[in-house]
Amino acid sequence: VVWGSGSNIYNYVTIRSFSHPDNDPQGLAWDGTYLWAAGSNQKKIFKIDPITGTVLTSFPAPGNPRDLAYDGTYLWLATDHWILHKINPATGEVLTAFTGFRAGGITWDGSYLRVTNRNTCTIDKINPSNGSLISSIPYPSGIVSVSGLAWDGNNLWVGAWDNDTIYRV
């Protein structure tokens, strides 16, 4: 596996691995203590101990998962029906749902949701309190299909299916 492209290639060592609880993984989030994983085969969200890989709990996903994010309090799930779901991780209850986002990736930047929008080929900045669009930036040049999105505190990282490349934007 190569991470990056051109002269920015990063090597890494796997520290720990374990099987995903679903054979079609569709999102991963970290809450500071536990991993949260979504799977589209079982249509569930799993809370996982990162040391042992043990599933501590699970609950049904409100749709077919595409990606998962954690905002410091709540889980956010993007589903294939163009819906973003705000979920209480303690109960699995959907607290809010926003429609119209054909998301392939979702992340939390500390204040806003960032969502890849397959309809417009943009990365949208979304107000988490009402689902309104704040701003958009285009996908990297030549890219039409984005699968993953992450925020490192300063930059967005975008995974592209088109050319199997990860971009920092």
Side-chain angles (χ1 to χ4, degrees):
V1 175
V2 175
W3 176 25
S5 65
S7 62
N8 294 322
I9 296 177
Y10 307 97
N11 294 316
Y12 67 91
V13 175
T14 300
I15 298 170
R16 173 88 172 96
S17 67
F18 45 82
S19 295
H20 191 286
D22 190 295
N23 65 1
D24 192 6
Q26 294 290 331
L28 193 61
W30 173 252
D31 72 5
T33 304
Y34 300 105
L35 287 172
W36 292 87
S40 66
N41 184 45
Q42 297 179 48
K43 293 180 179 55
K44 286 186 174 183
I45 298 172
F46 305 90
K47 181 180 180 180
I48 301 171
D49 181 312
I51 304 301
T52 65
T54 302
V55 173
L56 302 172
T57 190
S58 67
F59 48 82
N64 197 13
R66 287 294 170 246
D67 203 6
L68 193 60
Y70 182 73
D71 72 4
T73 304
Y74 301 104
L75 289 169
W76 289 87
L77 179 71
T79 64
D80 64 345
H81 292 290
W82 307 8
I83 302 172
L84 300 177
H85 302 270
K86 179 180 178 180
I87 300 171
N88 180 332
T91 64
E93 176 187 5
V94 175
L95 303 172
T96 304
F98 302 128
T99 61
F101 301 97
R102 189 169 179 209
I106 183 172
T107 193
W108 178 253
D109 73 4
S111 299
Y112 301 98
L113 291 168
R114 302 292 183 125
V115 179
T116 62
N117 190 325
R118 293 179 182 176
N119 286 340
T120 58
C121 293
T122 57
I123 300 168
D124 297 339
K125 184 177 181 180
I126 307 298
N127 182 330
S129 64
N130 62 19
S132 66
L133 176 66
I134 294 171
S135 63
S136 296
I137 58 172
Y139 286 175
S141 181
I143 302 303
V144 296
S145 187
V146 172
S147 59
L149 192 61
W151 175 255
D152 70 7
N154 294 307
N155 304 284
L156 283 169
W157 292 84
V158 180
W161 282 340
D162 301 74
N163 60 5
D164 300 326
T165 301
I166 297 172
Y167 297 86
R168 182 176 69 175
V169 297

